[in-house]
Amino acid sequence: MEKSMKKINVQLLLTGNELMSGEIVDSNSAMMAQELKSLGIEITKKTTIADDMDMLVEEIKSITNNADILIINGGLGPTVDDLTAQALAKACNTTIEQHPLALEHLQAWCKQRNATLNKPHLKQAMLPKSCQIIANRTGSAVGFQMMFNDCQIFCTPGVPHELKVILKEQIIPLLSTQIPEDMKVDVTRLQIFGLGESNLQKLIDENLSDWPETLELGFRAGLPLLEVKVTSRTAIACEQKDLWLTKLKALFGDHLISEVINQPLPLAEHVLTLLKAKKLKITTAESCTGGLIASLLTKNPGSSAAFEAAFITYSNKMKSNLLDVESKLIEQHGAVSQATVIAMAKGALKKTSADLVIAVSGVAGPTGGTPDKPIGTVWIAWGSIDNLRSECLCIPGNRTIFQHYVSAIGLDLIRRILIKSEQEPIYIVERRVNKNE
Amino acid sequence: MEKSMKKINVQLLLTGNELMSGEIVDSNSAMMAQELKSLGIEITKKTTIADDMDMLVEEIKSITNNADILIINGGLGPTVDDLTAQALAKACNTTIEQHPLALEHLQAWCKQRNATLNKPHLKQAMLPKSCQIIANRTGSAVGFQMMFNDCQIFCTPGVPHELKVILKEQIIPLLSTQIPEDMKVDVTRLQIFGLGESNLQKLIDENLSDWPETLELGFRAGLPLLEVKVTSRTAIACEQKDLWLTKLKALFGDHLISEVINQPLPLAEHVLTLLKAKKLKITTAESCTGGLIASLLTKNPGSSAAFEAAFITYSNKMKSNLLDVESKLIEQHGAVSQATVIAMAKGALKKTSADLVIAVSGVAGPTGGTPDKPIGTVWIAWGSIDNLRSECLCIPGNRTIFQHYVSAIGLDLIRRILIKSEQEPIYIVERRVNKNE
């Protein structure tokens, strides 16, 4: 089969019983795609198979027949089900032998950890003859590369953080010297919160029906952000892009969270950036989200500049003890009520001297719903002591979706205060429950 | 190509630009694998491609040539890049037409949401001629199925929670009527925390070198749990299993968290189960983990039985204000110190009247490290007021790995108290920093 000279055909082969059996979710291929994108390379096809020698050999042979680059991920470990080196040797009609650099690496790796070099370790030094080592400074398994059938083959470790380092430090720099400049693809990604996918398509159809065909539009519905992607592959498309992007952004208004080229940032990171710019601090008082909002904020490096403390108050007693919510008030209105959530917010502001607060109390499920307050009901209070707002919403779905969506709404409401938005968010309009007391 | 009659060849075809570009991590295929496993079905191969008509048609043709069952996931949405129905029709030499049941479903779906049936919605009713609808009660896109080239093809929505419902309620019950009983595979999974993969392989090699070939052993290194899987495919293997499983479990000692057949539970859920059985309550006082431990606990339904409140105290001032840690003590020893973490633990126990506590204070990075306390240093205090222990560990890796691993260690240390373990965990032995004051 003749290979295309126009577009580089890059394929991934992922191996691992755990990938086929559903015991593990593959995050590696997304990471590889992100890294390759920085070179303007798109992956043509991903194939995932179990740790099976015959299938591995067959796939390697078949893929190298079509692809310019094949990245094999997984199967480099010390255990018996790690077969990549043997399978690759077999597919390429060569043998495996102990590689001196791989052995050196293993010796150093064990020494650093006061561990003894054992037989399973040694298996990781048995590599296809004539392959070249790709250093792995964070794990025991080295990567390696070789050419076969005009295809450049990279073998990479399955452990995500090891793969990340190898990609960034070894493979991407190597490939970047080989990829021609004019292959770059121009991609802009708009992150949106609070508009459904079909609302969004409708908005575009109705307002931008003359959208040019040369500019590719893509959509992705995520939890919680929705993403719109505008891709230009030609010089003409690149020229048109700015104008149409401006129209698109005007259409989205304050639902637009950000415009990025590479990896988008999580919503919490946008909120942190806004908080830091205004030198404001935030706290949370969480019942049904159980610390998720605080955890999303503190995931980000440097979050201490805008975040000092938060409260997780699950029980009524703790709402009173830690946040000074009067127990009478909870008795009278219930834990999931406007009065309680406002008192929680005020308590958290007082105890921490933070400028802004998100307080939530709701019914996450799967039990605890009542006819009056079914599962999915949540009271949110947010803002500052002088401008404290509250809403009761109904967020359907399971416990995980509920906790993530409520957390995202809390963060987005703070974002809207920080950007001084006057638009009412669509999720408030659509999800509001009339429970104002 | 002749199809094998012995083992059912089930293949997945995942479609979506967002799956190829790395903007989304595919969790759907793991979900499908888990569900199919309940029928004893293993997936032979997964192929993932972009929303490209030609590639979709080519892959559908090629897969249906080999597979008995093909599950296509994604591409059913209302937007222009959703191509599954058209591609399938093209590959199967048929046309698409408006399906009356799909239209009915969309009308009902819109009515329930007070939404108007719009053009993008209507696109979702255009399906291959002669296909059969698979109901989707949680989303706008219906699934559908058809036979082609002796292959049963299912088209399923890409939105994970919609897929889950469709699988459980429609596809699995349908397939279960078609799969012969003797195809069941017996799998037992052991979850382990605190042993490295190579330590584990060595333990097995040294102590169970006579492990029978008929019992398949598989390994998976996760964050934080490591999993050992024992698979029996024959009657002989099933007979041997109990004996060898007992030997294996004895080898792992208290590092063994659980033994499961289906989806394993997260570590936090095991801890909650133990707490509930003993009617004990837990609290956390978190600095560097920023609420992650509390969030992992409260993710689980019914966590309120063992969890009332937790504190996230990032700044020194908040450690003093909320947990009564004397500011002098922090000044003298630093925030990341034995004295501070013990005071945090005591403060949290006192304020919440909980029975057990996990308190952590450390340097998560990427900044904040010092020669004395480099990034990755963490003080953990855990236990009850009468039996409060503490250790200083060094957890290398990035911020995310640090936060997750520290949280898992905290939870595991509580688990070991609850099961009255007397073994010293290997992670303490290997990661301990001699900083006792």
Side-chain angles (χ1 to χ4, degrees):
Chain A
M1 192 177 289
E2 207 187 1
K3 291 182 187 187
S4 158
M5 281 296 117
K6 279 229 169 119
K7 199 178 165 185
I8 300 179
N9 183 325
V10 179
Q11 297 199 26
L12 303 189
L13 176 60
L14 303 148
T15 165
N17 293 331
E18 67 280 10
L19 288 171
M20 298 312 288
S21 63
E23 290 150 54
I24 197 173
V25 166
D26 158 43
S27 59
N28 285 355
S29 62
M31 187 202 301
M32 289 190 269
Q34 293 277 3
E35 290 295 334
L36 290 169
K37 203 191 294 177
S38 67
L39 301 176
I41 298 178
E42 290 180 343
I43 295 166
T44 307
K45 184 170 158 183
K46 294 194 285 194
T47 307
T48 313
I49 52 174
D51 296 315
D52 177 290
M53 182 60 86
D54 294 340
M55 286 191 74
L56 275 166
V57 173
E58 190 190 327
E59 286 299 331
I60 293 171
K61 283 184 182 169
S62 147
I63 296 172
T64 50
N65 224 15
N66 294 297
D68 303 298
I69 295 173
L70 162 61
I71 305 180
I72 304 179
N73 185 245
L76 302 189
T79 56
V80 285
D81 52 6
D82 291 306
L83 301 170
T84 296
Q86 287 123 291
L88 182 59
K90 212 167 162 183
C92 303
N93 306 317
T94 181
T95 53
I96 57 167
E97 54 182 34
Q98 194 173 64
H99 196 294
L101 288 176
L103 183 64
E104 247 175 53
H105 167 80
L106 284 161
Q107 284 164 336
W109 195 83
C110 284
K111 200 178 161 193
Q112 213 187 342
R113 278 155 187 81
N114 292 321
T116 324
L117 190 69
N118 55 33
K119 215 178 135 196
H121 283 135
L122 280 174
K123 174 178 165 292
Q124 294 178 297
M126 297 299 291
L127 304 180
K129 205 173 162 174
S130 83
C131 76
Q132 289 156 282
I133 294 296
I134 304 172
N136 177 3
R137 67 172 175 79
T138 59
S140 62
V142 294
F144 47 95
Q145 62 157 317
M146 58 188 288
M147 288 295 295
F148 177 68
N149 201 6
D150 273 341
C151 177
Q152 191 170 13
I153 305 167
F154 294 94
C155 294
T156 58
V159 180
H161 68 93
E162 294 179 21
L163 172 65
K164 193 164 197 172
V165 174
I166 276 197
L167 277 173
K168 278 190 187 290
E169 298 182 0
Q170 308 282 338
I171 295 176
I172 297 298
L174 186 75
L175 284 178
S176 78
T177 62
Q178 302 174 2
I179 307 298
E181 266 302 309
D182 61 357
M183 285 207 152
K184 299 262 155 83
V185 178
D186 179 292
V187 179
T188 299
R189 300 155 76 181
L190 304 176
Q191 287 178 282
I192 285 149
F193 183 74
L195 274 175
E197 198 180 2
S198 139
N199 272 338
L200 191 135
Q201 178 80 61
K202 193 168 158 257
L203 261 182
I204 294 172
D205 287 353
E206 285 174 1
N207 297 283
L208 298 173
S209 57
D210 49 344
W211 185 272
E213 270 189 27
T214 45
L215 275 180
E216 285 172 35
L217 255 186
F219 304 90
R220 173 173 78 84
L223 181 71
L225 299 184
L226 186 76
E227 191 173 277
V228 176
K229 198 170 74 164
V230 180
T231 307
S232 3
R233 292 178 196 280
T234 63
I236 297 170
C238 284
E239 276 172 32
Q240 295 174 306
K241 201 183 100 175
D242 282 353
L243 172 71
W244 288 94
L245 212 51
T246 307
K247 293 188 187 186
L248 203 56
K249 281 152 59 182
L251 208 58
F252 298 151
D254 292 343
H255 290 100
L256 179 70
I257 308 270
S258 74
E259 173 184 347
V260 287
I261 294 169
N262 286 312
Q263 181 68 3
L265 299 176
L267 181 52
E269 203 162 338
H270 288 290
V271 174
L272 276 175
T273 305
L274 290 167
L275 287 168
K276 286 189 216 170
K278 291 179 189 263
K279 295 200 167 50
L280 295 174
K281 294 209 167 162
I282 190 167
T283 186
T284 70
E286 307 183 44
S287 188
C288 56
T289 47
L292 184 58
I293 306 176
S295 174
L296 289 169
L297 285 165
T298 55
K299 239 171 136 163
N300 306 292
S303 46
S304 56
F307 178 93
E308 281 195 276
F311 302 83
I312 304 158
T313 53
Y314 234 51
S315 68
N316 292 350
K317 200 174 98 191
M318 289 300 138
K319 289 181 181 74
S320 300
N321 287 8
L322 305 183
L323 294 169
D324 297 346
V325 180
E326 280 180 48
S327 49
K328 265 190 197 168
L329 187 143
I330 303 180
E331 270 165 44
Q332 194 185 332
H333 299 274
V336 180
S337 67
Q338 186 173 32
T340 297
V341 83
I342 286 180
M344 285 169 67
K346 286 184 177 169
L349 284 172
K350 193 178 140 202
K351 298 261 171 174
T352 61
S353 313
D355 306 289
L356 292 162
V357 65
I358 305 168
V360 286
S361 185
V363 190
T367 59
T370 63
D372 188 37
K373 289 170 188 170
I375 291 169
T377 306
V378 61
W379 267 102
I380 307 186
W382 76 100
S384 58
I385 193 70
D386 304 323
N387 181 18
L388 202 55
R389 310 181 200 178
S390 60
E391 286 286 351
C392 184
L393 305 179
C394 184
I395 312 293
N398 65 27
R399 184 177 179 92
T400 307
I401 293 172
F402 173 88
Q403 289 183 325
H404 277 90
Y405 200 40
V406 168
S407 298
I409 285 178
L411 291 166
D412 187 58
L413 289 168
I414 292 293
R415 181 186 70 87
R416 286 171 187 260
I417 286 185
L418 293 169
I419 64 167
K420 297 190 164 55
S421 172
E422 285 172 12
Q423 285 179 10
E424 183 157 52
I426 289 189
Y427 54 82
I428 296 265
V429 179
E430 288 187 346
R431 306 270 180 213
R432 180 185 275 136
V433 180
N434 282 322
K435 284 213 176 298
N436 284 27
E437 287 155 27
Chain B
M1 192 178 289
E2 206 187 3
K3 292 183 186 182
S4 157
M5 280 296 118
K6 280 229 169 117
K7 200 177 164 186
I8 300 179
N9 184 325
V10 179
Q11 297 200 26
L12 304 188
L13 176 61
L14 303 147
T15 165
N17 293 333
E18 69 279 12
L19 288 171
M20 298 312 289
S21 64
E23 290 150 53
I24 196 173
V25 165
D26 157 43
S27 59
N28 285 354
S29 62
M31 188 203 299
M32 289 191 269
Q34 293 277 1
E35 289 295 334
L36 290 168
K37 203 192 294 179
S38 67
L39 301 175
I41 297 178
E42 290 179 343
I43 295 166
T44 306
K45 186 170 156 182
K46 293 194 286 194
T47 307
T48 314
I49 53 176
D51 296 315
D52 176 289
M53 183 60 86
D54 294 339
M55 285 191 75
L56 274 167
V57 173
E58 190 190 326
E59 285 299 330
I60 293 171
K61 282 184 181 168
S62 146
I63 295 172
T64 49
N65 225 12
N66 294 297
D68 304 298
I69 295 173
L70 163 62
I71 304 181
I72 304 179
N73 186 244
L76 302 189
T79 55
V80 285
D81 52 6
D82 292 306
L83 301 170
T84 297
Q86 287 123 290
L88 182 59
K90 211 166 165 186
C92 303
N93 307 315
T94 182
T95 53
I96 55 167
E97 55 181 35
Q98 195 175 63
H99 196 293
L101 288 176
L103 182 65
E104 247 176 53
H105 167 80
L106 282 162
Q107 285 164 335
W109 195 84
C110 285
K111 200 178 162 194
Q112 213 187 341
R113 278 156 188 78
N114 292 322
T116 324
L117 192 68
N118 55 33
K119 213 177 135 197
H121 283 136
L122 281 174
K123 174 179 165 293
Q124 295 179 297
M126 297 299 291
L127 304 180
K129 203 173 166 176
S130 83
C131 77
Q132 290 157 280
I133 294 295
I134 304 172
N136 178 3
R137 66 172 176 81
T138 59
S140 63
V142 294
F144 47 95
Q145 62 158 318
M146 59 188 287
M147 288 295 296
F148 177 68
N149 201 6
D150 272 341
C151 178
Q152 191 170 12
I153 305 168
F154 294 94
C155 294
T156 59
V159 181
H161 68 95
E162 294 179 21
L163 172 65
K164 193 164 196 171
V165 174
I166 277 199
L167 278 174
K168 279 191 187 288
E169 298 181 0
Q170 309 283 337
I171 296 176
I172 298 297
L174 187 75
L175 284 177
S176 77
T177 62
Q178 302 174 2
I179 306 299
E181 265 302 309
D182 60 357
M183 285 207 150
K184 300 261 154 83
V185 178
D186 179 292
V187 180
T188 300
R189 300 156 75 180
L190 304 177
Q191 287 178 281
I192 285 150
F193 183 74
L195 274 175
E197 199 180 2
S198 137
N199 272 338
L200 192 134
Q201 178 80 59
K202 194 170 156 255
L203 260 183
I204 294 172
D205 286 353
E206 285 176 358
N207 297 280
L208 299 173
S209 56
D210 48 345
W211 185 271
E213 271 189 25
T214 44
L215 276 180
E216 284 173 35
L217 255 186
F219 304 89
R220 172 174 80 84
L223 182 71
L225 300 184
L226 185 76
E227 191 172 276
V228 176
K229 196 170 77 164
V230 180
T231 307
S232 2
R233 291 180 196 279
T234 62
I236 297 171
C238 284
E239 276 172 32
Q240 294 174 310
K241 201 184 101 176
D242 282 354
L243 172 71
W244 289 93
L245 212 51
T246 307
K247 291 186 187 187
L248 204 56
K249 281 151 61 182
L251 208 58
F252 297 152
D254 293 343
H255 291 98
L256 179 70
I257 309 270
S258 74
E259 174 184 347
V260 288
I261 294 168
N262 286 311
Q263 182 68 1
L265 301 175
L267 181 53
E269 202 163 337
H270 287 290
V271 173
L272 276 176
T273 305
L274 290 167
L275 288 168
K276 285 189 215 169
K278 292 180 190 261
K279 296 199 165 50
L280 295 174
K281 294 209 167 159
I282 190 166
T283 185
T284 69
E286 307 184 43
S287 187
C288 56
T289 48
L292 184 58
I293 306 176
S295 174
L296 290 169
L297 285 165
T298 55
K299 237 172 136 162
N300 306 290
S303 47
S304 57
F307 177 94
E308 281 195 277
F311 302 84
I312 304 160
T313 53
Y314 234 51
S315 68
N316 292 350
K317 200 174 99 190
M318 287 300 139
K319 289 181 181 75
S320 301
N321 286 10
L322 305 183
L323 293 170
D324 297 346
V325 181
E326 282 180 46
S327 49
K328 264 191 197 168
L329 186 142
I330 302 179
E331 271 165 42
Q332 195 184 332
H333 300 275
V336 180
S337 67
Q338 187 172 31
T340 298
V341 83
I342 286 179
M344 286 169 67
K346 285 184 179 170
L349 283 172
K350 193 178 141 203
K351 298 260 171 174
T352 61
S353 313
D355 305 290
L356 292 163
V357 65
I358 305 168
V360 286
S361 185
V363 190
T367 58
T370 63
D372 189 36
K373 288 169 189 171
I375 291 169
T377 306
V378 61
W379 267 103
I380 307 185
W382 76 99
S384 58
I385 192 71
D386 303 324
N387 181 20
L388 201 57
R389 310 179 201 180
S390 60
E391 287 284 351
C392 183
L393 306 179
C394 184
I395 312 293
N398 64 26
R399 186 177 177 92
T400 307
I401 293 173
F402 173 88
Q403 289 182 326
H404 276 89
Y405 201 40
V406 168
S407 298
I409 285 178
L411 291 166
D412 187 59
L413 289 168
I414 293 294
R415 181 186 68 87
R416 286 171 188 260
I417 285 184
L418 293 168
I419 63 165
K420 297 190 165 54
S421 172
E422 286 173 9
Q423 284 179 10
E424 184 157 51
I426 289 189
Y427 54 81
I428 296 266
V429 179
E430 288 186 346
R431 305 271 180 214
R432 180 185 277 136
V433 180
N434 283 322
K435 283 214 178 295
N436 284 28
E437 286 155 27

